Amino acid sequence: MDGTLLNSERDLSVRLKKFIAELPETFPIILASSRMPDAMRHLLVDLGRHSEPLIAYNGGFVIDQNGQVLDSVEIPLELVQKIIDLTQQTAIHISLYQGEKWFEEKEDYWSKREIANTKVNPTWQNHQDTMHSWSGSGSGAHKVMAMGDSNEISWLFGELHLAYSDQLHLYRSKDTYIEIAPKKISKATGLQLLLNHLYDFGMDDVIAFGDNYNDIDLIQSVGWGVAVANARPEVKSVAKEITLHHKEDGVVDTLERIKALHSH
């Protein structure tokens, strides 16, 4: 969504909302993001699509149109603890996510920025308290986000990659961010699961848009994978089409063209 669907104001354009409003109700609009569910729901409401399934945390948490959980894949607790331990001697900020909840220890530049970007408020508590409550329920994190100075983030990325690349997806959305998810999921696995459960069409009938490393699987797996002009080169190389920049309404530009082709 960020860098693909949303414009420079981190919002949905009027043109996009108008296009979606003119589609039949039965035409599914599925948001897939590294974001938590609540950071996507307000966008669905803006689109006039209150009940659509969601692929959250890059595919680690998939929910149907009624909010029922179809799939949940977490990072094991001991691995979350190892990530936290690695950052103890640094100024790196760690955010923890599980299901519908986002946990923050302190209000600082990074947490304020995420609140502003996602329009969601976290639960404020010490990470060790969060870990303690999770250990009681035998659960882990859907996402761990590390944010900080780009040199420290590079160091952490290297350490985690060396030790845990077989268990974790490490995804640097910016040079100051690492988004950490379980290895065995992706937006593509989340979409496949949704299609199997809820729809009578397959991946070949899907148009998907993306800009970053976590979109590569998805764009490769669907019938028509589209990269925005600002996408990473690796994303563009697997896309069937490169559309306009996300600030120039690339997503709706492609959708309008496809719709026009099919209406003739």
Side-chain angles (χ1 to χ4, degrees), residues 6 9 11 19 30 49 67-69 91 98 105 111 140 144 150 156 164 185 187 189 199 203 226 233 245 249 258:
L6 304 180
E9 278 79 56
D11 216 339
F19 180 87
I30 300 168
R49 294 293 191 119
Q68 293 298 307
V69 179
Q98 186 194 79
E105 276 192 319
S111 56
V144 177
S150 59
L156 180 62
Y164 308 114
I185 53 96
K187 289 182 183 180
T189 62
Y199 300 107
M203 299 285 267
V226 185
H245 198 286
D249 255 337
I258 291 172

Side-chain angles (χ1 to χ4, degrees), residues 242-258:
I242 297 166
T243 188
L244 298 173
H245 198 286
H246 78 102
K247 292 177 182 173
E248 298 167 338
D249 255 337
V251 170
V252 72
D253 199 75
T254 290
L255 291 174
E256 284 170 352
R257 201 195 70 249
I258 291 172

Side-chain angles (χ1 to χ4, degrees), residues 196-215:
N196 292 348
H197 273 268
L198 301 175
Y199 300 107
D200 59 357
F201 58 90
M203 299 285 267
D204 286 349
D205 294 317
V206 174
I207 307 164
F209 297 85
D211 69 296
N212 223 322
Y213 300 125
N214 61 331
D215 298 313

Side-chain angles (χ1 to χ4, degrees), residues 20 48 62 72 91 105 133 148 175 177 206 213:
I20 300 296
V62 181
S72 173
E105 276 192 319
S133 71
D175 63 353
Y177 281 67
V206 174
Y213 300 125

